[in-house]
Amino acid sequence: MKLLVTGGAGFLGARLSRELLKAGQLNGQTLVELHIADLFPPPADLSADPRVRVHAGPLLNQSALFASGFDAVFHLASAVSGECELDFELGLRSNLDSTRLLLDSLRQAGNVPRLVFASSVAVFGPDDANPLPDLVTDNTLPSPQTSYGTHKLMCEYLIADYTRKGFIDGRSARLMTVTVRPGKPN
């Protein structure tokens, strides 16, 4: 099995990559290659594993990698909320443009990979005109109030449409807040 983790050098991506390598399989299939794509190289323990292939640099430069054919993709890479509010263009490039490139490249590969997308509860706002209920259900309407929440919702819709068309087998998981530690983002 050939897997891709975008954002694989980050906090969540590195943890996920370690767990995948430790398990050595996914859905009963042996893990042969784990490709980690991120702006920066992953921690040394990940890079040292012979099953890991490192692809450091902007995701917008990785179309050939994405089109090389994967069995499964975990798409975790994104610019976070504060960054997107401060730099609108960065948010568009990092979140929306890179996701579209990933999806189009996966479609070109000719197989139908499983894709898991790390979305966010930021898709829900809150908006005073559409307050968030105590219990979020499938019928709770999204009403993003930040560029980040808007990007995540747009990516969810793209993933749903590519899945409907049979290009990928997509899933979106709306994650709660991940506390960002001080210092330079990785």
Side-chain angles (χ1 to χ4, degrees):
M1 177 169 246
K2 182 179 172 186
L3 303 178
L4 169 65
V5 178
T6 69
F11 178 73
L12 293 177
R15 292 179 71 95
L16 172 63
S17 295
R18 286 185 187 102
E19 289 300 316
L20 290 167
L21 291 166
K22 185 168 89 175
Q25 60 88 28
L26 183 64
N27 292 332
Q29 295 183 40
T30 302
L31 172 62
V32 176
E33 290 181 8
L34 176 63
H35 292 257
I36 296 176
D38 206 323
L39 273 175
F40 303 98
D45 65 307
L46 290 173
S47 298
D49 191 297
R51 297 167 291 178
V52 171
R53 309 292 183 269
V54 174
H55 308 274
L59 293 187
L60 288 173
N61 296 342
Q62 307 279 353
S63 62
L65 167 67
F66 300 156
S68 69
F70 290 95
D71 299 299
V73 176
F74 294 90
H75 184 33
L76 309 179
S78 73
V80 295
S81 190
E83 288 178 304
C84 293
E85 290 304 308
L86 291 174
D87 188 340
F88 185 71
E89 294 298 324
L90 169 73
L92 287 175
R93 279 191 319 274
S94 298
N95 298 335
L96 194 57
D97 296 344
S98 64
T99 299
R100 171 109 191 271
L101 176 75
L102 173 64
L103 294 172
D104 283 341
S105 299
L106 291 172
R107 180 173 58 127
Q108 291 171 10
N111 65 325
V112 180
R114 168 81 43 94
L115 180 132
V116 178
F117 173 63
S119 188
S120 169
V121 296
V123 302
F124 293 116
D127 178 0
D128 291 338
N130 183 26
L132 193 60
D134 292 333
L135 180 63
V136 174
T137 69
D138 289 340
N139 296 323
T140 303
L141 292 176
S143 55
Q145 297 300 299
T146 63
S147 294
Y148 175 74
T150 300
H151 300 159
K152 289 294 189 174
L153 184 60
M154 293 167 72
C155 291
E156 285 184 23
Y157 285 148
L158 279 173
I159 289 163
D161 198 38
Y162 278 64
T163 298
R164 180 184 66 81
K165 293 286 214 175
F167 302 141
I168 62 168
D169 180 11
R171 312 279 189 282
S172 293
R174 291 178 177 155
L175 304 177
M176 298 297 292
T177 300
V178 174
T179 303
V180 178
R181 65 192 179 289
K184 183 179 177 182
N186 65 353

